[in-house]
Amino acid sequence: MNEAMLRQLVPAVIGVLVRRGADFAAAEDAVQDALIEAVRAWPDDSPRDPKGWLITVAWRKFLDAARADASRRRREELVEAEPVPGPGEGVDDTLQLYFLCAHPSLTPASAVALTLRAVGGLTTRQIARAYLVPEATMAQRISRAKRTVSGVRFDQPGDVGTVLRVLYLVFNEGYSGDVDLASEAIRLTRQLAARTRHEEVAGLLALMLLHHARRPARTTGPDSRLVPLAEQDRSRWNTGLITEGVGILQTALARDRLGEFQAQAAIAALHADARTAEETDWVQIVEWYDELVGLTDSPVARLNRAVAVGEADGPRAGLAALAELDPRLPRHTAVAAYLHERDGDPATAARLYARAARSAPNIPERDHLTRQAARLNTRLRG
């Protein structure tokens, strides 16, 4: 059976899993894992009942994922809603699992993907979105990682850098995605900071605390509408977390071994330091983005830099910086809409906001962009 015929079975297999009690997203994820296993195993041992084989394997994948998710949720129940300031408690087995999944036999990218899936509890779709790759590509990467470590001894834990990358992505998904993992990521990063003087561990912890401090102001109303940073009620920001984050960052920067998480934390600290949006030191923020781009050459950092340039030097300068980037980059269209609106072109901005809404990574962001388009269209008709 070729791959095209195999994929024709997918809707029916997903339907069986849903009828057995799986939610649609989890069923889809489990079937994707089963498909990858089928592509690997069937050339040597083709089953007489392909559909039945897929249902059996997909259901097993679903149960494994459900058990992992239940274990993760039990760990999260031990964490209070707001992170407690100060050093973390003794290192538990969760952080050890992060290190073990970052095994030296894996590439850093594969180790991160495997840990997010096996320990962090994220779906393949969520991980693919964080990495800016197609879901099928990420599913294959995770499957290869599983096969790589299936026969190795876990007596060589991975490096700190890979674990930091995992914690960073878990926090980002918890901060803006469908599953609340932010507090758990902060808890584990506190533990890691307590056992090492690594500057980037401190930088990541500071970054998490500074972002988490703004969380109470990020949404408003019974429908949890997204509130852009410039419009947030800054009196709702958690000043205790800001103070702690800035202190940790200053200590790390004083060691003069700059890394990407310290640079990101410095940008977050400048936002936190401004009493109003108008008082934001955008010139210095651009300088920190220059440092960040130099350290990572990240397209996301370049995209955020274009926004900062637009604030520091005017929207035309921001649009010029944006023109150098791949327009397929996630949120590229939303940034273009914002800069065109600031440049006095509401018609183009409205069109771009509507287009960006159609590809938004989550519902709150989609609704926010839709409202922005509607607001400008109402103004144009008036």
Side-chain angles (χ1 to χ4, degrees):
M1 176 176 288
N2 61 37
E3 190 169 344
M5 295 175 64
L6 185 63
R7 289 194 173 276
Q8 290 178 1
L9 297 173
V10 167
V13 177
I14 290 176
V16 171
L17 265 63
V18 169
R19 288 193 294 274
R20 288 184 177 183
D23 65 74
F24 185 83
E28 195 175 37
D29 206 48
V31 172
Q32 181 66 54
D33 285 346
L35 284 174
I36 292 168
E37 192 162 326
V39 170
R40 177 180 60 82
W42 286 11
D44 298 324
D45 185 18
S46 181
R48 281 178 289 184
D49 179 10
K51 181 180 175 181
W53 188 98
L54 282 175
I55 290 171
T56 299
V57 174
W59 183 246
R60 187 175 70 243
K61 299 284 187 183
F62 166 73
L63 292 177
D64 288 344
R67 283 192 288 267
D69 186 62
S71 296
R72 175 184 58 76
R73 290 185 183 279
R74 283 195 295 273
R75 293 194 300 269
E76 288 179 352
E77 289 171 359
L78 301 176
V79 184
E80 295 183 5
E82 284 295 338
V84 179
E89 72 274 32
V91 178
D92 64 14
D93 60 347
T94 306
L95 187 58
Q96 185 64 18
L97 284 173
Y98 273 66
F99 273 95
L100 292 176
C101 284
H103 196 272
S105 63
L106 296 172
T107 65
S110 295
V112 170
L114 177 62
T115 312
L116 289 172
R117 187 74 181 88
V119 187
L122 274 64
T123 66
T124 303
R125 180 181 293 110
Q126 289 170 320
I127 302 168
R129 189 172 65 217
Y131 265 93
L132 312 179
V133 299
E135 184 178 352
T137 301
M138 183 52 66
Q140 291 171 356
R141 184 181 298 175
I142 293 171
S143 180
R144 285 195 300 269
K146 289 177 180 178
R147 291 199 301 271
T148 299
V149 301
S150 62
V152 302
R153 293 180 59 188
F154 283 88
D155 55 1
Q156 292 180 278
D159 69 304
V160 171
T162 301
V163 174
L164 286 180
R165 179 63 51 191
V166 176
L167 289 168
Y168 174 67
L169 291 175
V170 169
F171 177 81
N172 280 347
E173 189 59 43
Y175 189 63
S176 61
D178 304 322
V179 184
D180 187 358
L181 298 170
S183 292
E184 173 72 353
I186 291 174
R187 183 180 75 88
L188 294 174
T189 307
R190 284 194 189 282
Q191 290 183 1
L192 193 54
R195 62 185 283 189
T196 179
R197 282 175 49 82
H198 196 294
E199 293 79 12
E200 280 291 83
V201 175
L204 179 59
L205 179 56
L207 176 64
M208 289 178 173
L209 295 174
L210 290 164
H211 277 296
H212 206 70
R214 301 203 303 257
R215 191 171 190 179
R218 291 186 73 243
T219 58
T220 187
D223 55 350
S224 297
R225 287 191 174 193
L226 195 64
V227 182
L229 177 60
E231 301 171 19
Q232 288 177 13
D233 178 0
R234 299 185 178 215
S235 67
R236 298 182 63 195
W237 289 1
N238 187 319
T239 55
L241 290 181
I242 291 173
T243 300
E244 184 187 5
V246 169
I248 292 170
L249 174 62
Q250 289 174 338
T251 300
L253 290 175
R255 298 173 194 161
D256 199 23
R257 296 181 62 183
L258 184 64
E260 60 174 297
F261 294 125
Q262 295 170 75
Q264 289 189 58
I267 293 167
L270 286 167
H271 284 297
D273 189 53
R275 291 177 298 177
T276 65
E278 293 73 24
E279 294 179 53
T280 304
D281 189 346
W282 286 107
V283 172
Q284 194 172 169
I285 287 176
V286 171
E287 292 174 354
W288 275 110
Y289 270 120
D290 288 339
E291 294 278 3
L292 183 59
V293 168
L295 288 165
T296 66
D297 198 28
S298 162
V300 174
R302 290 184 180 275
L303 183 68
N304 291 333
R305 179 186 179 279
V307 176
V309 169
E311 299 289 351
D313 301 326
R316 294 285 174 90
L319 287 167
L322 188 65
E324 300 174 2
L325 305 178
D326 186 343
R328 295 171 296 181
L329 189 65
R331 296 189 173 91
H332 184 285
T333 305
V335 171
Y338 172 75
L339 291 172
H340 275 290
E341 180 180 0
R342 289 202 60 235
D343 195 39
D345 186 357
T348 299
R351 175 173 53 81
L352 291 172
Y353 276 130
R355 186 196 302 171
R358 292 193 289 270
S359 59
N362 54 64
I363 293 174
E365 193 168 331
R366 181 200 66 192
D367 292 347
H368 169 71
L369 293 167
T370 300
R371 286 192 296 270
Q372 295 294 82
R375 172 179 58 81
L376 291 179
N377 283 324
T378 300
R379 183 194 305 173
L380 288 167
R381 286 194 297 269

